[in-house]
Amino acid sequence: MPEHHPPGDRLTVERRTIEAVPDSERHGTPRSQFTLWFGANMQITAIVDGALSVVFGADALWAIPALLIGNVLGGTVMALHSAQGPRLGVPQMISSRAQFGVYGAVLPLLLVILMYLGFAATGSVLAGQAMAKLLHIGTDAGILVFGALTTVVAVTGYRLIHIAGRIATVVGALGLGYLLVRLFTQYDVGAHVGDKGFEAATFLLAVGLGAGWQLTFGPYVADYSRYLPRDTSTRATFWSTFAGSVVGSQWAMTLGALTAAVAGDAFLPDQVGFLGDLAGPAFLAFLIYLVIVVGKLTVNCLNAYGGFMSILTTVTAFDRRSRISAAVRAAYIVGFIAVSMVIALAASDDFLTNFKNFVLLLLTVFTPWSAINLVDYYLLSRERVDIPALYDPDGRYGRWNVTALTCYVIGVVVQVPFLATKLYTGAITKKLDGADISWIVGLAVTSALYWVWARRTANPPAETIHPATAEQGGRAPAPTGRAGFTSAG
């Protein structure tokens, strides 16, 4: 497969936003997806996510395989979203207009934006702590410095984000590998695992934490594969993304689960400080804090970039634009990061509990979205999409898709009796001794309902319809006719 190369310098500011990327600007290979997602997952928030399974009652001996099951299941869904990128060349949430309608896609988009803000804020808290230890400044100042770094990379865009992912891959593997070795040399790990028997509730909590971690990447994963050449192998894109995300997250979560098991209450008040102490001498602790900052920088740039794309997708649904100026693009990103910094500075001290509930809540609202998108794209439309119509409320996909929106709402509501959160525990969950299987129910019910209902109303094109020129205009094409469009199998 020939490799395409983008015009211009590798670090020039990205000029594409939510419009389809023309073939002349497609470049790279699926390997870039492995390094991006491996690097984005080899970071402290994933360590904390793995630790949560032990903090909230699971034995590490059972938590680690449960996290693996969750990562594999969620990673499969996530990688199927990624495989859409090269075929369509558009951001993930733009492609969801094919299921929900141009206006209807705004409903899940609003929740996506909240997700990005939440993850950006919680990640900034941990990165700010590490930055404070690196520079010997206060945590609030560390958060602000980290926000400035995030702004530079996110504004530059796609290519610099991928470079950050490659750096984070190497740095993360060395840093987290070293910490894992230190954990086994400084503690009798075997004495801290295997004390508890199997408990379904905590096992399923760990599965949910792993699956939820992966599924929350779904709404933006194709944003980072959309520049790959259109003839890129779907299978290669899937496996590169899957391997990078699952291996990276499982590595970090395993470290988190074992750390929580041996550290006990010592890990709870200061996760960053504990890992620094685990590293040993001051110089090595300095390097571990640097590893934490690099890993968080990569994933926070994904959140800022994805948040900006989601906001722009929401706004342009109503004014039909598909392109904006570089200055406006930068303003969106800076504004998003500024809001996330405000949230981070005001973050509650009860970090672990709030983060667990945040992840499980996201799992509730994004599982139905993923189910609808994947069933429609792979089973009903069979990868055939009218791309120009994604920007046209009067086109093939219309303003609102009642079928998809109704299935989405039902998919969320049906999970309520199965929820197990601090704020609410469902009636069925109580009968299951606290085991949370809400996301499994949501995935199954939404997929089945949408398949039965939407197959009667689906109207995919005979072939994927691509924009005819590389420089399509800033507004959606007129809804009449098909002049100016090209089809491709």
Side-chain angles (χ1 to χ4, degrees):
M1 178 177 63
E3 181 173 347
H4 301 243
H5 297 277
D9 187 82
R10 293 175 65 84
L11 297 183
T12 55
V13 175
E14 182 185 4
R15 65 192 184 96
R16 296 291 172 187
T17 54
I18 61 169
E19 72 269 32
V21 179
D23 289 341
S24 60
E25 296 180 23
R26 303 288 196 98
H27 62 280
T29 68
R31 289 192 301 273
S32 65
Q33 303 306 301
F34 176 87
T35 53
L36 177 66
W37 294 108
F38 185 87
N41 282 284
M42 292 287 283
Q43 42 97 0
I44 190 168
T45 312
I47 295 174
V48 170
D49 194 69
L52 285 172
S53 59
V54 174
V55 170
F56 290 99
D59 190 289
L61 184 66
W62 293 106
I64 292 171
L67 289 165
L68 177 60
I69 292 171
N71 276 312
V72 168
L73 294 176
T76 299
V77 174
M78 177 261 202
L80 285 171
H81 287 300
S82 178
Q84 299 175 22
R87 288 288 177 269
L88 303 180
V90 299
Q92 187 71 71
M93 295 310 291
I94 286 290
S95 69
S96 73
R97 290 175 173 178
Q99 294 85 50
F100 293 90
V102 176
Y103 296 166
V106 169
L107 174 61
L109 265 171
L110 295 176
L111 298 173
V112 168
I113 293 168
L114 291 177
M115 176 192 76
Y116 292 139
L117 282 173
F119 269 117
T122 54
S124 295
V125 171
L126 296 172
Q129 294 172 3
M131 188 67 73
K133 294 179 182 297
L134 279 172
L135 303 179
H136 302 289
I137 56 179
T139 298
D140 287 355
I143 290 173
L144 294 175
V145 172
F146 180 73
L149 290 175
T150 302
T151 300
V152 172
V153 179
V155 167
T156 304
Y158 180 89
R159 276 175 265 170
L160 186 55
I161 290 173
H162 271 284
I163 291 174
R166 289 194 286 273
I167 295 172
T169 292
V170 177
V171 170
L174 292 174
L176 271 62
Y178 171 74
L179 286 176
L180 198 57
V181 171
R182 285 284 295 182
L183 192 69
F184 277 90
T185 57
Q186 298 302 306
Y187 293 90
D188 184 0
V189 176
H192 293 85
V193 300
D195 292 338
K196 301 178 183 178
F198 175 83
E199 296 178 357
T202 55
F203 187 86
L204 289 172
L205 169 64
V207 173
L209 288 169
W213 178 266
Q214 297 291 341
L215 288 172
T216 53
F217 289 128
Y220 66 15
V221 61
D223 295 6
Y224 305 99
S225 60
R226 77 190 198 279
Y227 277 90
L228 292 175
R230 196 192 302 179
D231 59 358
T232 300
S233 164
T234 297
R235 182 172 297 180
T237 304
F238 172 89
W239 285 113
S240 295
T241 304
F242 177 87
S245 192
V246 171
V247 174
S249 59
Q250 184 63 29
W251 186 335
M253 290 180 190
T254 298
L255 174 61
L258 293 175
T259 300
V262 302
D265 293 340
F267 184 70
L268 299 180
D270 185 8
Q271 302 91 34
V272 172
F274 183 88
L275 294 179
D277 292 340
L278 177 63
F283 175 68
L284 291 174
F286 177 90
L287 293 179
I288 289 302
Y289 295 139
L290 187 61
V291 169
I292 291 172
V293 170
V294 171
K296 286 311 308 174
L297 180 63
T298 300
V299 76
N300 256 38
C301 287
L302 299 184
N303 290 325
Y305 186 89
F308 140 71
M309 297 282 270
S310 295
I311 294 170
L312 184 59
T313 301
T314 301
V315 172
T316 57
F318 300 98
D319 64 16
R320 300 194 181 199
R321 285 185 300 163
S322 64
R323 298 178 66 182
I324 59 171
S325 68
V328 173
R329 177 184 180 276
Y332 269 109
I333 295 174
V334 171
F336 177 90
I337 294 174
V339 173
S340 71
M341 292 297 101
V342 171
I343 298 172
L345 293 170
S348 166
D349 291 334
D350 193 7
F351 177 80
L352 287 176
T353 298
N354 289 337
F355 183 70
K356 182 202 81 168
N357 288 313
F358 176 66
V359 171
L360 293 178
L361 176 63
L362 293 175
L363 189 58
T364 302
V365 298
F366 288 123
T367 297
W369 175 85
S370 281
I372 291 170
N373 177 269
L374 296 180
V375 167
D376 185 88
Y377 181 77
Y378 288 106
L379 300 182
L380 298 179
S381 297
R382 298 186 182 277
E383 305 183 39
R384 298 167 299 175
V385 178
D386 184 344
I387 295 174
L390 297 174
Y391 303 89
D392 180 10
D394 299 316
R396 179 188 301 274
Y397 303 115
R399 290 168 167 78
W400 311 90
N401 187 320
V402 175
T403 300
L405 290 169
T406 303
C407 290
Y408 177 76
V409 172
I410 292 173
V412 172
V413 172
V414 75
Q415 297 177 71
V416 173
F418 299 89
L419 290 176
T421 68
K422 184 179 180 180
L423 297 177
Y424 175 80
T425 299
I428 298 179
T429 299
K430 294 177 181 177
K431 296 180 180 180
L432 296 174
D433 296 325
D436 188 335
I437 60 170
S438 57
W439 67 279
I440 300 174
V441 174
L443 186 64
V445 171
T446 308
S447 298
L449 179 61
Y450 186 76
W451 163 256
V452 172
W453 191 352
R455 64 189 301 186
R456 303 174 183 176
T457 58
N459 181 32
E463 297 177 306
T464 293
I465 302 173
H466 294 275
T469 64
E471 295 294 335
Q472 58 263 38
R475 290 186 175 272
T480 57
R482 280 283 174 255
F485 299 163
T486 61
S487 298

